[in-house]
């Protein structure tokens, strides 16, 4: 596949890892410290006890990523929702079912993909009838980011897809706008990998032992499609499938 003329997105552009205070003055967020040199199962077990930010306390459980370690594509959403929090699995609610359908229509088998979230605990506002989703703050993204980086280190995906604005801002740039830049493949350097090691300098691509190029693409979160008014939802869904078809083409 030819290299698109887009800018390279480097993990170095992410905000520096420093302890941050949460929105509640009585609590202090830290930074997660995943074990190194382990596989996905060990990371999942370690993440179950994560207390790096205050979100663990009201949540039912940590919701870690799922999928094969050999996955060529990784989908990164914002955070688990209500059903995901209760079941302990990512993308199993209405948004997950819509994502499954969109992947099938785009020619991507979800069983060959790894799905995860930028934040591993459900942030919500409790009410008498239901738990209302709240967008995680920058402090939660920073606290949880090491888990995401540890997943990338194990998976070494060919394509990373940001589902929604929160994931895109966390992995691409705080100024990234889904409405403006969605559906474009961009070269991306995973955390801890230099551009030369990632194959950005041409000749390294001919070395069988050189790491492959990783590509990044951002699109709408499936839950955003579900929130579109009925008369416009089909068009929003078709736009999501079109973006995912770009990913399918990159993997062909």
């Amino acid at each position: 596949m030819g290299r698109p003329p887009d800018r390279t997105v480097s993990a170095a552009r992410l905000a520096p890892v420093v302890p941050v205070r949460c929105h509640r003055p009585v609590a202090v967020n830290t930074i997660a410290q995943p074990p190194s040199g382990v596989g996905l199962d060990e990371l999942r077990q370690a993440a179950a006890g994560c207390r790096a930010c205050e979100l663990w306390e009201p949540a039912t459980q940590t919701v870690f990523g799922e999928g094969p370690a050999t996955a060529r594509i990784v989908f990164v959403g914002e955070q688990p929702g209500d059903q995901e929090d209760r079941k302990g699995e990512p993308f199993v609610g209405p948004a997950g079912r819509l994502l499954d359908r969109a992947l099938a229509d785009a020619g991507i088998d979800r069983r060959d993909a790894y799905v995860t979230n930028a934040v591993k605990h459900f942030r919500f506002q409790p009410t008498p009838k239901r738990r209302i989703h709240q967008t995680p703050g920058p402090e939660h993204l920073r606290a949880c980011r090491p888990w995401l980086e540890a997943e990338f280190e194990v998976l070494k995906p060919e394509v990373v897809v940001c589902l929604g604005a929160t994931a895109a801002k966390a992995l691409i740039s705080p100024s990234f706008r889904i409405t403006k830049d969605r559906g474009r493949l961009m070269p991306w350097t995973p955390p801890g990998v230099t551009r030369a090691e990632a194959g950005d300098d041409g000749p390294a691509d001919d070395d069988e032992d050189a790491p492959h190029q990783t590509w990044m693409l951002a699109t709408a979160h499936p839950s955003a499609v579900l929130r579109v008014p009925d008369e416009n939802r089909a068009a929003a869904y078709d736009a999501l499938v079109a973006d995912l078809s770009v990913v399918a083409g990159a993997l062909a």
Side-chain angles (χ1 to χ4, degrees), residues 136-159:
E139 68 274 21
H140 304 121
L141 293 170
R142 293 191 191 101
C144 207
R145 188 180 69 189
W147 293 115
L148 192 57
E149 293 179 349
E151 289 173 293
F152 288 141
E153 185 176 351
V154 173
L155 293 162
K156 296 178 173 60
E158 295 179 40
V159 181

Side-chain angles (χ1 to χ4, degrees), residues 146-246:
W147 293 115
L148 192 57
E149 293 179 349
E151 289 173 293
F152 288 141
E153 185 176 351
V154 173
L155 293 162
K156 296 178 173 60
E158 295 179 40
V159 181
V160 176
V161 178
C162 294
L163 296 172
T166 298
K169 290 178 179 179
L171 289 177
I172 300 176
S173 167
S175 62
F176 190 90
R177 296 292 180 267
I178 292 289
T179 53
K180 179 181 178 182
D181 296 315
R182 65 180 290 174
R184 294 193 301 116
L185 282 171
M186 298 174 285
W188 184 67
T189 303
V193 177
T194 67
R195 292 183 62 183
E197 290 173 337
D200 286 356
D201 293 338
D205 292 341
D206 298 328
D207 186 348
E208 293 182 357
D209 295 327
H212 56 253
Q213 172 67 65
T214 302
W215 301 96
M216 172 75 73
L217 181 142
T219 187
H221 195 287
S223 63
V225 176
L226 292 174
R227 292 193 298 269
V228 171
D230 291 346
E231 61 270 21
N232 299 322
R233 190 170 301 153
Y237 175 80
D238 290 344
L240 173 61
V241 173
D243 291 344
L244 296 178
S245 297
V246 173

Side-chain angles (χ1 to χ4, degrees), residues 3-206:
R3 180 176 297 162
D6 299 291
R7 65 187 184 279
T8 296
V9 179
S10 172
R13 296 181 57 184
L14 299 176
V17 178
V18 294
V20 292
R21 294 191 178 275
C22 74
H23 64 286
R24 296 187 302 180
V26 297
V28 176
N29 283 358
T30 59
I31 301 299
Q33 298 181 341
S36 59
V38 300
L40 293 174
D41 288 341
E42 291 81 4
L43 288 173
R44 185 175 295 106
Q45 293 171 8
C50 184
R51 303 292 186 266
C53 77
E54 86 286 358
L55 296 184
W56 72 270
E57 192 168 5
T60 304
Q61 59 194 314
T62 302
V63 181
F64 205 70
E66 285 196 354
T70 56
R72 299 172 65 195
I73 179 172
V74 173
F75 292 92
V76 182
E78 177 189 276
Q79 65 171 353
D82 181 78
Q83 292 190 31
E84 288 79 7
D85 173 72
R86 298 180 190 280
K87 296 179 180 180
E89 301 175 27
F91 286 92
V92 293
R97 291 190 290 272
L98 187 140
L99 177 61
D100 286 346
R101 181 160 61 94
L103 289 174
D105 288 345
I108 299 174
D109 191 336
R110 175 166 165 171
R111 293 174 299 181
D112 296 330
Y114 186 89
V115 291
T116 190
N117 286 293
V119 173
K120 311 302 189 194
H121 285 109
F122 180 34
R123 187 187 191 200
F124 61 91
Q125 175 66 44
T127 70
K129 291 187 177 181
R130 63 189 181 95
R131 303 186 296 178
I132 301 176
H133 163 276
Q134 286 188 309
T135 301
E139 68 274 21
H140 304 121
L141 293 170
R142 293 191 191 101
C144 207
R145 188 180 69 189
W147 293 115
L148 192 57
E149 293 179 349
E151 289 173 293
F152 288 141
E153 185 176 351
V154 173
L155 293 162
K156 296 178 173 60
E158 295 179 40
V159 181
V160 176
V161 178
C162 294
L163 296 172
T166 298
K169 290 178 179 179
L171 289 177
I172 300 176
S173 167
S175 62
F176 190 90
R177 296 292 180 267
I178 292 289
T179 53
K180 179 181 178 182
D181 296 315
R182 65 180 290 174
R184 294 193 301 116
L185 282 171
M186 298 174 285
W188 184 67
T189 303
V193 177
T194 67
R195 292 183 62 183
E197 290 173 337
D200 286 356
D201 293 338
D205 292 341
D206 298 328

